[in-house]
Amino acid sequence: KPIFVKNIPFNFVGAPKWNILKWKEAVLKLNIFKLIQFDRLVYLDSDMFVQRNIDFLFSLPVNSRKTLYGQHNEHECKATGGLNSGVLVLQPSVAVFRELMTDYKKAKSMKNWQGDQELIAYTFRSTFKLLPPETASLLIQCKCGRDLKKSGIVHGAGQVFFFFFFS
Protein backbone atom coordinates (compact mmCIF):
# COMPACT_ATOMS: atom_id res chain seq x y z
CA LYS A 1 0.00 0.00 0.00
CA PRO A 2 1.63 3.30 -1.01
CA ILE A 3 2.27 5.95 1.60
CA PHE A 4 1.95 9.50 0.33
CA VAL A 5 4.38 12.05 1.67
CA LYS A 6 3.61 15.71 2.00
CA ASN A 7 5.94 18.63 2.52
CA ILE A 8 7.17 18.44 6.11
CA PRO A 9 8.04 21.69 7.88
CA PHE A 10 11.62 21.54 9.12
CA ASN A 11 14.14 23.94 10.60
CA PHE A 12 17.26 23.83 8.42
CA VAL A 13 19.63 25.19 11.06
CA GLY A 14 22.36 22.68 10.31
CA ALA A 15 22.16 22.74 6.51
CA PRO A 16 24.61 24.87 4.56
CA LYS A 17 22.75 27.66 2.72
CA TRP A 18 24.06 26.48 -0.66
CA ASN A 19 22.44 23.10 -0.15
CA ILE A 20 19.00 23.77 1.36
CA LEU A 21 17.11 22.17 -1.57
CA LYS A 22 19.01 18.89 -1.22
CA TRP A 23 18.35 18.88 2.52
CA LYS A 24 14.62 19.47 1.94
CA GLU A 25 14.60 16.26 -0.12
CA ALA A 26 16.70 14.52 2.51
CA VAL A 27 14.25 15.32 5.30
CA LEU A 28 11.50 13.50 3.41
CA LYS A 29 13.66 10.39 3.21
CA LEU A 30 14.73 10.61 6.86
CA ASN A 31 11.09 10.44 7.92
CA ILE A 32 10.96 6.77 6.87
CA PHE A 33 12.64 6.06 10.21
CA LYS A 34 9.41 7.20 11.95
CA LEU A 35 7.14 4.72 10.13
CA ILE A 36 6.98 2.48 13.19
CA GLN A 37 3.73 0.86 12.08
CA PHE A 38 6.00 -1.39 9.97
CA ASP A 39 8.39 -4.04 11.31
CA ARG A 40 10.90 -3.23 8.60
CA LEU A 41 11.19 -1.14 5.47
CA VAL A 42 12.86 -1.62 2.14
CA TYR A 43 13.33 1.87 0.76
CA LEU A 44 14.14 2.49 -2.93
CA ASP A 45 14.86 5.87 -4.49
CA SER A 46 12.61 6.67 -7.43
CA ASP A 47 15.44 6.23 -9.95
CA MET A 48 15.71 2.48 -9.39
CA PHE A 49 15.31 -0.23 -11.99
CA VAL A 50 14.31 -3.50 -10.29
CA GLN A 51 15.26 -6.45 -12.47
CA ARG A 52 14.24 -9.39 -10.31
CA ASN A 53 12.39 -10.29 -7.16
CA ILE A 54 13.90 -8.54 -4.13
CA ASP A 55 11.60 -9.97 -1.46
CA PHE A 56 14.63 -11.49 0.29
CA LEU A 57 15.54 -7.98 1.48
CA PHE A 58 12.62 -8.23 3.91
CA SER A 59 14.35 -11.23 5.54
CA LEU A 60 17.64 -9.51 6.32
CA PRO A 61 18.29 -9.36 10.08
CA VAL A 62 17.71 -5.84 11.37
CA ASN A 63 17.04 -4.43 14.80
CA SER A 64 15.67 -1.07 15.72
CA ARG A 65 18.82 0.12 17.36
CA LYS A 66 21.40 0.39 14.66
CA THR A 67 21.38 -2.25 11.95
CA LEU A 68 20.86 -0.81 8.50
CA TYR A 69 21.65 -2.18 5.05
CA GLY A 70 22.48 0.13 2.19
CA GLN A 71 23.94 0.18 -1.26
CA HIS A 72 27.65 0.61 -1.99
CA ASN A 73 28.50 4.18 -2.96
CA GLU A 74 30.63 3.37 -5.98
CA HIS A 75 30.69 6.43 -8.18
CA GLU A 76 34.26 5.61 -9.09
CA CYS A 77 35.44 2.28 -10.43
CA LYS A 78 36.47 1.12 -6.98
CA ALA A 79 34.66 0.26 -3.79
CA THR A 80 34.98 3.08 -1.28
CA GLY A 81 33.17 1.37 1.58
CA GLY A 82 30.76 4.30 1.61
CA LEU A 83 27.00 4.09 1.90
CA ASN A 84 24.56 5.08 -0.82
CA SER A 85 21.08 5.63 0.58
CA GLY A 86 19.27 4.79 -2.67
CA VAL A 87 18.49 1.34 -1.27
CA LEU A 88 17.95 0.99 2.47
CA VAL A 89 16.73 -1.90 4.59
CA LEU A 90 15.87 -0.89 8.15
CA GLN A 91 13.58 -1.29 11.10
CA PRO A 92 11.87 2.04 11.79
CA SER A 93 12.56 3.58 15.18
CA VAL A 94 11.66 6.97 16.61
CA ALA A 95 14.79 6.79 18.80
CA VAL A 96 17.00 6.35 15.72
CA PHE A 97 15.16 9.20 13.98
CA ARG A 98 15.92 11.43 16.98
CA GLU A 99 19.57 10.40 16.82
CA LEU A 100 19.63 11.30 13.13
CA MET A 101 18.18 14.72 13.97
CA THR A 102 20.79 15.22 16.71
CA ASP A 103 23.55 14.31 14.25
CA TYR A 104 21.94 16.58 11.63
CA LYS A 105 22.86 19.58 13.78
CA LYS A 106 26.50 18.82 12.90
CA ALA A 107 25.79 19.16 9.16
CA LYS A 108 26.92 22.77 8.91
CA SER A 109 30.38 21.89 10.18
CA MET A 110 30.67 18.77 8.01
CA LYS A 111 31.87 20.09 4.66
CA ASN A 112 31.22 16.87 2.74
CA TRP A 113 27.63 16.43 3.95
CA GLN A 114 25.33 17.11 1.03
CA GLY A 115 22.20 15.35 2.22
CA ASP A 116 20.68 12.30 3.86
CA GLN A 117 23.31 9.87 2.60
CA GLU A 118 26.21 11.32 4.55
CA LEU A 119 24.04 11.83 7.63
CA ILE A 120 22.75 8.24 7.60
CA ALA A 121 26.29 6.91 7.04
CA TYR A 122 27.52 9.02 9.97
CA THR A 123 24.76 7.95 12.36
CA PHE A 124 25.20 4.28 11.44
CA ARG A 125 28.98 4.60 10.95
CA SER A 126 29.94 1.52 12.93
CA THR A 127 26.96 -0.69 12.16
CA PHE A 128 25.76 -0.24 8.58
CA LYS A 129 26.15 -3.19 6.24
CA LEU A 130 26.66 -2.87 2.51
CA LEU A 131 24.55 -4.90 0.13
CA PRO A 132 26.57 -6.86 -2.44
CA PRO A 133 26.72 -5.60 -6.07
CA GLU A 134 24.56 -8.58 -7.08
CA THR A 135 21.79 -6.98 -5.03
CA ALA A 136 22.22 -3.30 -5.99
CA SER A 137 24.60 -1.44 -8.28
CA LEU A 138 24.93 2.10 -9.53
CA LEU A 139 24.25 2.59 -13.23
CA ILE A 140 27.63 4.27 -13.65
CA GLN A 141 29.31 0.95 -12.81
CA CYS A 142 28.69 -0.23 -16.40
CA LYS A 143 31.56 2.12 -17.35
CA CYS A 144 33.79 0.05 -15.06
CA GLY A 145 32.90 -3.22 -16.74
CA ARG A 146 30.27 -4.45 -14.28
CA ASP A 147 27.57 -6.58 -15.88
CA LEU A 148 24.49 -4.81 -14.56
CA LYS A 149 22.26 -7.65 -15.72
CA LYS A 150 23.56 -9.54 -12.67
CA SER A 151 22.34 -6.87 -10.24
CA GLY A 152 18.84 -7.19 -8.82
CA ILE A 153 18.51 -3.41 -8.61
CA VAL A 154 20.22 -0.80 -10.77
CA HIS A 155 20.33 2.69 -9.32
CA GLY A 156 20.37 5.55 -11.81
CA ALA A 157 21.76 7.97 -9.18
CA GLY A 158 20.71 10.92 -11.28
CA GLN A 159 21.69 9.22 -14.55
CA VAL A 160 19.08 8.55 -17.20
CA PHE A 161 18.39 4.98 -18.30
CA PHE A 162 19.04 4.99 -22.05
CA PHE A 163 19.33 1.26 -22.49
CA PHE A 164 17.26 -1.83 -21.92
CA PHE A 165 18.14 -5.11 -20.31
CA PHE A 166 17.09 -8.24 -22.13
CA SER A 167 17.15 -11.70 -20.66
Side-chain angles (χ1 to χ4, degrees):
K1 177 178 169 182
I3 297 172
F4 296 96
V5 181
K6 61 182 180 184
N7 193 5
I8 299 168
F10 190 75
N11 182 4
F12 293 94
V13 171
K17 289 190 187 305
W18 57 268
N19 204 9
I20 292 292
L21 182 59
K22 177 71 174 165
W23 278 103
K24 284 183 179 183
E25 295 169 3
V27 168
L28 291 174
K29 185 184 291 186
L30 294 175
N31 275 275
I32 66 174
F33 287 89
K34 293 193 306 186
L35 296 174
I36 58 173
Q37 69 267 39
F38 301 103
D39 293 331
R40 73 183 60 222
L41 289 175
V42 174
Y43 171 85
L44 302 176
D45 272 354
S46 62
D47 58 347
M48 296 293 180
F49 182 71
V50 179
Q51 303 189 100
R52 65 175 177 266
N53 188 313
I54 57 171
D55 286 351
F56 72 94
L57 293 174
F58 286 98
S59 300
L60 293 174
V62 295
N63 65 51
S64 64
R65 189 62 203 121
K66 289 289 247 180
T67 304
L68 173 130
Y69 293 84
Q71 179 181 0
H72 278 271
N73 195 27
E74 299 176 310
H75 284 280
E76 305 296 326
C77 291
K78 60 181 186 250
T80 62
L83 174 77
N84 184 299
S85 63
V87 178
L88 295 173
V89 181
L90 60 104
Q91 184 177 5
S93 163
V94 172
V96 171
F97 176 78
R98 286 186 188 126
E99 188 172 348
L100 283 160
M101 292 300 96
T102 297
D103 289 343
Y104 163 79
K105 293 175 185 167
K106 300 173 186 173
K108 196 169 192 172
S109 64
M110 303 298 239
K111 302 218 183 293
N112 62 340
W113 283 16
Q114 297 182 20
D116 60 275
Q117 195 161 278
E118 293 83 9
L119 175 58
I120 293 168
Y122 178 81
T123 302
F124 289 87
R125 62 191 168 279
S126 61
T127 58
F128 72 75
K129 299 173 191 272
L130 295 172
L131 297 166
E134 299 79 38
T135 301
S137 292
L138 291 170
L139 176 61
I140 199 164
Q141 287 296 300
C142 69
K143 293 180 181 178
C144 307
R146 179 167 295 150
D147 184 358
L148 297 179
K149 289 185 242 176
K150 295 180 179 177
S151 292
I153 305 166
V154 178
H155 183 186
Q159 311 267 334
V160 178
F161 289 100
F162 283 119
F163 56 92
F164 298 94
F165 294 96
F166 298 100
S167 55

